[in-house]
Amino acid sequence: MTAQRKRAGSGTMTRREAIRLGTAAAVGAAAGAAMAPFAPSPVQAESVNWQRYKGTTLSLLFYKHPWVDEIEKYFPEFESLTGMKLQHEVIPEVQGREKLVVQMTSGAGDIDAWHASMHVEKRRFWKSGWFQPVNAYLQDKTLTAEDYAWNDITKGAVDAVTQPDKTISALPTFPDPFVMFYRKDLFDQKGWGPPKTLDELEDRAKALHNPPSTYGFVMRGLKNANATPWAFVLFAMGGKYLTPDRKSAMNTPEWIKTMDWYAGMLRKYAPPGVVNFNWYECSAAFIQGQVGMYIDGVNFANQFEDPTKSKIVGKVGYAPLPSGPAGRFAPTFTNAMAVSAQSKHKEAAYLFSEWATSKKNCNRELLGGVGVGRASTWGLPEVKAKAKMPIGWYQAYQESLKISRPGLPEIVDVTQYRDIIGVAIQKAIEGAKSADVIADANKQFQEMLDKTEK
């Protein structure tokens, strides 16, 4: 039996909408037999012996996320298929990442596989030798079923798990582009469409802002967490993280303009205490009907359409992010199942990662309202017939993948970068001058690069 130590709308499509979704799937990054048990296909049965590590207990670490909420429903099925046992832990991402680094640094080998945040861990864990490369496993027909279909994984997701030396560090679960969530019912009353520019977004936030009943806008204000939505404004303003010779590119007018806009919007139109808001607090305020517009990862949206959690089911609009002077971009963050190089059960842990990211489980995730990094999943008839999310969510997701850009700098110490800019954002929200906090952050960022990027 699975052991767990700690756990932290309208879905109906018209025929025309379904056809449009099927067409859009060609650019896309899911439980046909959603509730049916996972059974090896004839091809799998010929090649992969899922019982080869029967009796093994795997230790798994996950960061809290809707993808995890879906996949853990099927853990007993994996245990039945393989004869292995799963001991898993689900904790908030900040604490989870800290715990993982402590575990890896100790070399204890207590974790066999984890749900990796490639946008944070990619370069550091690769340089530290903590990822078990899976290239050989993917080519081994006794470990990887032919219908796993690596070429079905979208290019952006493959790029996110591939290192400079061409080793593959993990199997992608989902690419998470940032999108705009807005109260469509309130917009309809005013005859509005979703904002197409940053200026339009601010105009709508100002018009909707009527505290304490309604706040115009929210994004993350909490240190470190705020570094991810920040990227969308930075890109729209034309800012960059690094110069061509990999020095800090912070101390530029684009960074100051970004800070003016980001901090100003949260200071003027967000709920009180926003400097302490991570995605969870932002989502909670939105699903309680307290906020007019919210920007965050597309895969947090399934709770908006869950009547057991949300007061705004069927009232949410979804759209790609608005553009700024430099254009329209969607910062994107990719997660993946990684095998620990310190694991004593590497091939068994790989079998779990393969199963978790199989076509069938991708189908289950998308039907549960969580996007995935498999192209074929988005065009399945079951997705069209049993869609949990409104058509606008699918369209916003796929339109955003067309304008996606890695949301964080690919450097060794992403966490420290996030802390540096995160503190600057918090200070600016609380009233500090943008130029001052950016100058201080630039100095810290360059000092950090000098130490870690040698």
Side-chain angles (χ1 to χ4, degrees):
M1 178 178 289
T2 299
Q4 185 176 4
R5 296 195 292 269
K6 181 181 177 183
R7 289 204 58 186
S10 172
T12 303
M13 284 190 231
T14 65
R15 182 175 180 276
R16 177 174 296 179
E17 289 171 338
I19 292 172
R20 289 168 58 196
L21 173 59
T23 302
V27 299
M35 301 311 294
F38 183 91
S41 70
V43 173
Q44 287 174 299
E46 291 175 1
S47 59
V48 177
N49 176 9
W50 290 89
Q51 293 273 324
R52 64 193 293 179
Y53 296 109
K54 182 178 180 180
T56 299
T57 297
L58 291 177
S59 178
L60 310 174
L61 177 65
F62 298 92
Y63 310 143
K64 187 172 176 56
H65 189 275
W67 183 88
V68 179
D69 294 341
E70 285 296 316
I71 196 68
E72 67 177 348
K73 297 176 184 174
Y74 303 99
F75 282 0
E77 179 186 287
F78 176 79
E79 293 178 323
S80 177
L81 175 69
T82 63
M84 290 191 265
K85 296 185 183 304
L86 301 179
Q87 185 177 50
H88 76 289
E89 186 172 18
V90 184
I91 52 181
E93 59 187 4
V94 174
Q95 294 94 316
R97 288 172 189 150
E98 292 173 350
K99 175 174 182 172
L100 186 61
V101 170
V102 171
Q103 290 272 332
M104 291 296 189
T105 302
S106 75
D110 291 339
I111 295 173
D112 295 304
W114 79 97
H115 192 211
S117 299
M118 297 306 295
H119 49 281
V120 175
E121 298 159 6
K122 181 178 180 180
R123 187 170 173 85
R124 180 179 185 180
F125 280 42
W126 171 64
K127 289 177 76 74
S128 300
W130 293 342
F131 286 121
Q132 172 62 37
V134 298
N135 304 60
Y137 297 161
L138 281 165
Q139 296 171 7
D140 185 343
K141 293 184 179 180
T142 69
L143 278 175
T144 302
E146 289 187 29
D147 64 355
Y148 182 77
W150 179 249
N151 60 4
D152 191 32
I153 309 296
T154 58
K155 182 180 183 303
V158 170
D159 289 347
V161 298
T162 303
Q163 302 287 0
D165 63 358
K166 306 302 180 187
T167 57
I168 297 171
S169 292
L171 302 182
T173 52
F174 60 82
D176 202 23
F178 272 45
V179 301
M180 164 159 283
F181 314 121
Y182 62 96
R183 284 287 302 277
K184 191 172 185 304
D185 56 328
L186 302 182
F187 274 46
D188 288 346
Q189 291 172 13
K190 296 180 178 296
W192 294 343
K196 297 186 181 303
T197 67
L198 295 178
D199 289 342
E200 284 186 1
L201 190 156
E202 182 165 4
D203 289 343
R204 283 163 175 53
K206 184 176 182 180
L208 292 171
H209 193 63
N210 184 30
S213 62
T214 305
Y215 296 89
F217 180 68
V218 73
M219 286 195 301
R220 304 180 197 181
L222 182 67
K223 180 191 81 171
N224 191 294
N226 53 18
T228 49
W230 160 271
F232 116 78
V233 189
L234 179 68
F235 297 157
M237 293 292 186
K240 295 180 172 57
Y241 290 119
L242 300 170
T243 62
D245 58 350
R246 295 185 66 79
K247 302 292 184 183
S248 170
M250 273 190 186
N251 204 16
T252 64
E254 289 79 15
W255 278 77
I256 296 172
K257 290 177 184 175
T258 301
M259 186 62 80
D260 283 342
W261 193 92
Y262 193 100
M265 288 293 292
L266 294 189
R267 187 166 56 243
K268 290 183 284 189
Y269 307 120
V274 71
V275 292
N276 297 313
F277 279 25
N278 198 342
W279 68 266
Y280 182 82
E281 288 78 14
C282 293
S283 296
F286 190 61
I287 63 178
Q288 290 300 312
Q290 299 171 350
V291 177
M293 294 179 288
Y294 169 32
I295 287 175
D296 215 306
V298 67
N299 282 316
F300 293 127
N302 66 351
Q303 60 193 314
F304 306 158
E305 308 297 342
D306 183 345
T308 67
K309 300 178 180 177
S310 174
K311 294 182 178 179
I312 53 174
V313 174
K315 298 178 179 178
V316 182
Y318 303 90
L321 298 176
S323 65
R328 168 180 281 196
F329 304 96
T332 300
F333 308 88
T334 300
N335 280 49
M337 281 306 308
V339 176
S340 169
Q342 299 172 6
S343 170
K344 299 178 180 63
H345 312 291
K346 295 184 182 66
E347 291 189 354
Y350 173 77
L351 284 178
F352 174 82
S353 301
E354 176 190 349
W355 169 83
T357 59
S358 65
K359 287 183 178 179
K360 177 159 284 188
N361 277 321
C362 284
N363 297 349
R364 289 167 164 166
E365 291 283 352
L366 189 52
L367 278 179
V370 181
V372 294
R374 278 190 177 276
S376 63
T377 300
W378 291 85
L380 288 177
E382 292 88 346
V383 174
K384 302 169 187 174
K386 302 178 182 178
K388 174 179 178 180
M389 301 297 288
I391 183 67
W393 179 84
Y394 294 90
Q395 292 171 337
Y397 203 132
Q398 296 182 52
E399 288 299 314
S400 297
L401 288 176
K402 295 178 183 177
I403 55 172
S404 70
R405 176 183 287 190
L408 290 166
E410 194 164 305
I411 57 177
V412 171
D413 203 338
V414 176
T415 298
Q416 190 174 349
Y417 157 75
R418 292 175 63 155
D419 286 345
I420 290 170
I421 191 61
V423 169
I425 294 169
Q426 282 188 314
K427 289 180 178 177
I429 295 170
E430 292 170 338
K433 188 177 178 182
S434 295
D436 292 343
V437 297
I438 289 297
D440 187 45
N442 176 63
K443 181 174 182 294
Q444 294 180 54
F445 187 41
Q446 185 57 57
E447 290 175 351
M448 183 265 280
L449 292 173
D450 290 342
K451 293 178 182 176
T452 59
E453 295 292 323
K454 295 179 180 177

